[in-house]
Amino acid sequence: MNTQLTLIEASDVEADRIAQENQLIDEALHILDRRLFTRGPSLTSPDAVASYLKLYVAPQEHEVFGVIFFDARHRVLAFEILFHGSIDGASVYPRQVVKRSLAHNAAAAIFVHNHPSGCTEPSQADRVLTARLKEALALIEVHVLDHFIVGEGRPLSLAEYGWL
C-alpha cells in the first residue's frame, strides 16, 4: 500500500470528523443561547402589563401576591405568585421577595396582587407594603417599576397614580 495515499485518506476522514464536530458544536451553542437568553413575554407598556396580569391574577378566588422579575433591559425573566391569602388579605414577607429576586438575578420588579372583592382602590396597607418592599429591594439594587392591583375593570397601577 502506498504510504502517501494512506495519509491523504486519513486526513480526509479527520477533516470530515472535525467538520461534523464543528457543526455539532455550533448547534449546541445555538441551543445554549436559546436557553440562557430567551425571555418571557414582551411587556413594553403599562397596558400590556395590566392585561397580562389580569389574565393570571383575576381568576384567583383568594387574595394572592406575585412579582414579575425583569433583567437589566426590562425583559421578563419570570412571573411568580409568591403568597396566597384569604378572601380579603395575604401576608407578604419582604425577605421572600428579596430571595426570589436574587434567585432570578433580577434587576427590576413589578408587584401585583388582587382584590377578590373587585375594588381596585389601594388600602393604606397596600401602600405601606409597597414602600417596605421598595426599600428592601433597593438594598440589593432591584428597581421597583410598579405595583398593580387587579380587580374589576382595568388593573390599577400605583405608579400611574404617583403612589410609588
Side-chain angles (χ1 to χ4, degrees):
M1 179 183 233
N2 184 339
T3 307
Q4 182 68 21
L5 183 60
T6 304
L7 289 175
I8 291 172
E9 288 174 3
S11 66
D12 286 346
V13 170
E14 182 68 14
D16 285 345
R17 185 183 63 77
I18 290 172
Q20 288 174 351
E21 289 174 351
N22 286 342
Q23 182 179 356
L24 185 61
I25 290 169
D26 286 343
E27 290 174 19
L29 289 172
H30 177 70
I31 291 168
L32 183 63
D33 279 346
R34 189 177 69 239
R35 287 189 179 180
L36 293 177
F37 298 107
T38 297
R39 303 295 189 228
S42 178
L43 301 176
T44 57
S45 70
D47 286 337
V49 174
S51 297
Y52 176 80
L53 293 173
K54 179 117 181 172
L55 288 172
Y56 287 98
V57 178
Q60 302 291 325
E61 293 179 0
H62 296 89
E63 191 163 317
V64 297
F65 181 91
V67 181
I68 303 175
F69 301 99
F70 294 91
D71 68 9
R73 294 177 56 200
H74 293 171
R75 295 176 300 181
V76 175
L77 296 169
F79 169 63
E80 292 184 19
I81 293 179
L82 299 178
F83 305 100
H84 297 265
S86 64
I87 60 170
D88 63 352
S91 296
V92 176
Y93 302 96
R95 175 186 175 91
Q96 295 304 317
V97 176
V98 169
K99 282 176 60 176
R100 295 308 301 153
S101 298
L102 289 170
H104 288 292
N105 199 29
I110 290 178
F111 307 135
V112 60
H113 77 279
N114 65 326
H115 284 173
S117 68
C119 176
T120 58
E121 187 66 30
S123 66
Q124 184 60 31
D126 293 337
R127 291 187 192 185
V128 169
L129 173 65
T130 302
R132 286 187 62 214
L133 290 171
K134 188 175 176 183
E135 289 173 12
L137 290 179
L139 295 172
I140 59 166
E141 299 178 357
V142 174
H143 181 66
V144 176
L145 303 173
D146 208 337
H147 183 163
F148 282 86
I149 301 174
V150 176
E152 187 176 344
R154 184 183 183 280
L156 181 132
S157 159
L158 270 68
E160 286 181 349
Y161 281 86
W163 296 328
L164 191 65

